[in-house]
Every structure is written in structure tokens, then in C-alpha cells.
Amino acid sequence: MSSEQSRELNPYENALKQLSDTAELISLDPDVHEMLRQPKRILSVSIPVKMDDGRVKNFQGYRVQYNDARGPFKGGIRYHPKVTLDEVKALAAWMTWKCSVVDLPYGGAKGGVICDPKNMSISEKEKVTRRFTAMIADFIGPYRDVPAPDVYTDPQTMAWILDTYSQIKGYQVPECVTGKPISLGGSEGRSNSTARGCVFCVREAAKVANIPLKGATAAIQGFGNAGSWSAIFLSEIGVKVLAVSDSKGGILSRGNGLDPRRVLEHKEKTGSVVGFNGTEEISNEELLELDVDILIPAALENAITAKNASKIRARIISEAANGPTTPEADKVLERNKVLLVPDILANAGGVAVSYLEWVQNLNRQHWTEDEVNQKLEQKIVSAFKSVLETSKRYNVSMRSGALAVAVQRVADAIKTLGIWP
Ligand code: NAD
């Protein structure tokens, strides 16, 4: 890989580039820009775990707390063999902008553990989670930093965090984590809120681009939590989902498209979407370049780069994943008039309902799914409108508009708080 390519694919470089472009656009105070170029705190821990075979393995874990000017740090924890500190720093910066763009009273953070959860037993995953929690326990908590699920972590992982944190404190603290199982104070609607928010964004973008959704076509990369629910919600509003994929490959069904719930059953049975009855096998690269109206990248970073951006034919992209498009690719998509709803808005549904979960926990309440979904819709639609308005005012893309709204709010908070001492 050339050094230019590896720079293009470094998520933290990309987050900093987005920040400096935004700083220029909104004439950000250079002192605030300087402060926002680095996370406030980075925790790096080495997590010893006695594996099932009796040997001890050390796992590297990170919690990056980017900025908390607007409220407690907030962000998911990712388990993946390719986690890097730069990736976690980028994701923590994006969480800061995401919470700000949907106007949640939170800062931004992210966690990651370098491990291969697909090749670990449940007991090994539990040990990693509990020991990691214990090692960062002094720095998290309901008013400090509230973790949530991300790639390859789930409600069960959050239950282990909740239990470990509560054991250390000596009392039950359900509000220390979100994305919990409902039985432990999780919110109705949290499990599919990221996708619900992403599809609200598709709906709003389709109005702007004048594309009728009934009969429109879509392709979705990644068929985990965000991707599979996006497929289900899109098909519920009449969109034909022609192709989906996961880490093992993709499937395409021309004509009427796929039944996402049946694809999910197939994936649950076999471990992949590949091999679903009556479909053609395609690669993840081919999926991105399909001639569809709507494209949802819902896997990992750097799916759309300078290499393939010019081949994208979708008219709307709604980024369920974090950082799926590099800044170089952004320029190409903009030139080609693709309406792109950026990650910090398109996948903010997850953190928006996490916030609602936290509010319910703090008030010892439990709302119905309808109440939660209505509040979510109101938050996403109102953020979409302010981003659209800002991007029109500056005559820039929705990504630049979203960053402008988000960074400006964080900057206002920093300036009003001042620097102590
Ligand atoms: P998940 O673990 O449930 O699913 C990830 C999916 O991506 C799996 O289907 C996996 O097979 C697939 N995948 C992995 N590598 C791939 C590759 N190289 N090509 C194609 N597919 C690949 O994770 P998730 O929670 O759905 O998260 C997906 C993305 O959405 C991530 O970028 C995450 O940060 C973002 N996100 C998730 C949430 C949430 O609430 N789940 C919230 C905000 C953002």
C-alpha cells in the first residue's frame, strides 16, 4: 500500500482533516481548534485473561474520552482484531460530533479491545469484558462516561459491564451503561434504533432528492445490527432491497429483491447471508457499485475510497457505519451529486435512544416503544433539518453542514466554560 493510500485509510487522519475543513468553513477560533485536535484522555490497558485452555492471554484495550464540554462522555465499545488506537480516537471524535449534531447533552468517547470474538468462547468474552470494565471503572460511570455496544459487542456485553461496575460500587447502577437487555433497564426500541434513525434519514433525503420510495432500490453492505434492521425497515416502507452482504460476501436478487427477515433467519442458521436461496453471489466491492437508488454502508470504515467512489451509482447514501467514506471519496461523490447523509447524523439513532435509556434509568421510568420511537423520530428529523439548512447556507455537502453544526456547538460550550486554571 502506498503511503498516500495508508494515509487515506487512517481514520484519525480523516477525522482531523474533517475538523480542519470545518474550522475553515465556520472560522473556528484557532485556540478551540487546537484543543479539539486531541482527545482529553486516553486510557490504555493490558487485560490479562485466563483462557479456556488454562493459559493467560493479554488483550490490549482502549477507552478514548474525546471531549465532555457538553456533558458526560458517551460512546460504544468495539471488539475486533483490527482495532487500533487511531481508530478508537477517530470514533471518539465522531461520537463527540454525533452527540452534538442531534443535540444530546453528551460529549464523545469510544472503547476498543483488540480481540477476535468470533474465535472466543462466551466465558472468555465475559472475562475480557469484566476485567476491562474493572480496569477503567474509575473513569466511567453515569455522570462521567457511559459505554454502549458497537461492533461485536451486544446487550449481554453491556450486562457484564453493568454487573462488574455495580459490584465495585456496592450498589446497582443501571444508568452506567446503555444498550442493556430490557430486563436490566434497557430501553424499548434500542436494539434497532440505529437502523430506524438511518431509515428516517433515507426518507428525508428521498424527499430532498425527489425520489419516490415505493419501488426504489437499495443495497446494504454489512448485515449485523445496523445493516439487517435497515434492510427490514426499508422493505417495510416499500423499498426493494436488492443486495446485502457480510464479511463472507454478498448476495443479489434482481426483480423484487430480498425478504430481509428470511435472509436474517438464514444468517442465524448458517453464519452468513451467502448461499441464501435464489440469489447470485457478489463481492462486497460489487455490491457498492450496483445500480441502485439507495446505498447503506453498514459494516466498517473505508468502504468508499478514492478507488471506487467514481463507480458508485446510488443517488442517496445513508451512512449507518462510522467513517465508511474517506474525505477523498467525499469529493468525488459531491462532484457526482450523490446526496450523502453523513454517519454522525445517519447513525445517530443508536445514541439518541441510548440517551433516552439513560434518562429513563436516572428517573426510574420505563417508556413504551411507541413513545421512544416518536422521540427518536423527532430528534433525527429536527437534526436532519438543521443540517440541511446549514449545508444550504454555506453551500456545502451535508457532511460539511453536519460537522459545522456539531463543531460550532462544542466550540460554544468550550468557550463559555473557559479554561481552568
Ligand atoms: P455488527 O457487529 O452487528 O455487524 C457488523 C456487520 O458487518 C456484520 O454483518 C459483519 O459480517 C459485517 N462486516 C464486517 N466486516 C465486513 C467487511 N469487510 N465487508 C462487509 N461486511 C463486513 O455491528 P453493527 O453494530 O451493525 O455496526 C456496524 C457499523 O455501524 C459500525 O461501523 C458501527 O460503528 C456502526 N454503528 C452501529 C451502531 C449500533 O447501535 N449498532 C450505532 C452507530 C454506529
Side-chain angles (χ1 to χ4, degrees):
M1 196 188 293
S2 71
S3 64
E4 199 172 313
Q5 261 175 325
S6 73
R7 202 214 54 72
E8 187 196 355
L9 303 185
N10 179 322
Y12 190 51
E13 293 280 344
N14 290 341
L16 288 181
K17 169 88 173 78
Q18 289 169 348
L19 176 64
S20 59
D21 289 349
T22 309
E24 203 181 313
L25 182 70
I26 63 172
S27 307
L28 182 67
D29 180 331
D31 292 343
V32 174
H33 187 187
E34 172 72 9
M35 285 173 70
L36 287 176
R37 287 180 58 78
Q38 284 296 334
K40 181 169 176 179
R41 184 182 289 125
I42 297 175
L43 303 168
S44 169
V45 294
S46 163
I47 311 159
V49 169
K50 193 166 256 190
M51 305 298 277
D52 292 349
D53 65 5
R55 276 184 285 189
V56 172
K57 195 166 169 189
N58 259 320
F59 293 91
Q60 181 65 39
Y62 302 108
R63 184 73 182 168
V64 174
Q65 299 179 326
Y66 206 87
N67 183 278
D68 63 348
R70 287 174 46 86
F73 297 106
K74 184 85 190 85
I77 294 179
R78 174 175 293 195
Y79 289 175
H80 198 274
K82 290 197 177 143
V83 163
T84 64
L85 179 55
D86 269 357
E87 178 188 53
V88 184
K89 281 162 76 176
L91 290 163
W94 291 328
M95 275 311 295
T96 311
W97 315 141
K98 190 182 303 181
C99 292
S100 176
V101 85
V102 280
D103 211 5
L104 304 176
Y106 282 138
K110 200 82 181 190
V113 176
I114 306 173
C115 64
D116 186 4
K118 281 189 185 164
N119 291 313
M120 289 162 71
S121 68
I122 294 201
S123 146
E124 289 168 343
K125 284 190 266 191
E126 176 173 354
K127 287 184 199 165
V128 167
T129 305
R130 288 184 180 276
R131 185 67 184 236
F132 180 48
T133 307
M135 292 174 89
I136 62 170
D138 283 345
F139 295 91
I140 60 173
Y143 297 104
R144 277 194 190 131
D145 180 354
V146 188
D150 189 66
V151 176
Y152 297 137
T153 54
D154 58 16
Q156 176 61 69
T157 323
M158 300 306 112
W160 292 326
I161 296 177
L162 161 55
D163 186 58
T164 310
Y165 184 84
S166 300
Q167 295 299 328
I168 290 170
K169 289 289 158 189
Y171 56 96
Q172 205 67 358
V173 197
E175 56 275 24
C176 76
V177 76
T178 60
K180 299 177 287 285
I182 304 251
S183 58
L184 293 172
S187 178
E188 304 292 339
R190 173 63 182 91
S191 59
N192 51 31
S193 53
T194 301
R196 200 178 282 280
C198 180
V199 172
F200 287 146
C201 288
V202 170
R203 190 190 69 193
E204 296 306 303
K207 287 183 203 158
V208 176
N210 224 346
I211 298 175
L213 284 176
K214 250 199 165 45
T217 54
I220 302 175
Q221 185 199 39
F223 205 68
N225 177 297
S228 62
W229 279 107
S230 293
I232 290 168
F233 293 144
L234 280 178
S235 69
E236 280 175 6
I237 55 173
V239 174
K240 289 194 272 186
V241 178
L242 300 189
V244 299
S245 69
D246 58 31
S247 57
K248 300 200 175 113
I251 51 171
L252 169 65
S253 167
R254 297 181 203 273
N256 281 335
L258 302 158
D259 176 344
R261 287 190 189 268
R262 288 193 45 226
V263 178
L264 193 58
E265 279 167 22
H266 174 81
K267 182 171 168 111
E268 274 158 10
K269 254 191 253 148
T270 66
S272 172
V273 297
V274 176
F276 181 66
N277 234 350
T279 57
E280 263 173 64
E281 210 172 315
I282 54 167
S283 68
N284 265 291
E285 292 71 34
E286 287 166 331
L287 177 140
L288 295 169
E289 296 165 14
L290 286 174
D291 188 8
V292 286
D293 300 304
I294 301 155
L295 176 64
I296 300 194
L300 297 175
E301 296 93 64
N302 302 327
I304 307 173
T305 67
K307 244 166 110 184
N308 62 358
S310 61
K311 298 184 203 142
I312 303 281
R313 287 188 277 173
R315 291 191 282 163
I316 293 174
I317 298 179
S318 190
E319 294 183 325
N322 284 307
T325 311
T326 66
E328 280 79 356
D330 260 340
K331 282 187 219 146
V332 179
L333 297 176
E334 220 181 315
R335 242 192 342 263
N336 292 346
K337 306 248 176 308
V338 179
L339 179 54
L340 183 147
V341 188
D343 47 6
I344 60 170
L345 173 60
N347 69 35
V351 72
V353 175
S354 270
Y355 160 71
L356 299 175
E357 178 176 332
W358 182 69
V359 171
Q360 291 171 78
N361 295 156
L362 289 169
N363 293 298
R364 300 295 183 258
Q365 290 185 358
H366 191 78
W367 301 336
T368 64
E369 189 171 353
D370 276 352
E371 266 177 289
V372 171
N373 288 344
Q374 270 172 28
K375 288 182 167 62
L376 168 66
E377 182 168 8
Q378 187 262 327
K379 283 231 160 277
I380 297 293
V381 172
S382 123
F384 188 97
K385 284 191 178 141
S386 66
V387 167
L388 188 65
E389 220 174 83
T390 308
S391 58
K392 281 188 181 154
R393 178 152 45 89
Y394 285 111
N395 194 21
V396 292
S397 66
M398 281 195 77
R399 172 153 1 253
S400 304
L403 285 163
V405 171
V407 174
Q408 187 64 61
R409 286 184 184 151
V410 175
D412 289 346
I414 290 175
K415 291 196 85 162
T416 318
L417 290 165
I419 299 177
W420 176 79

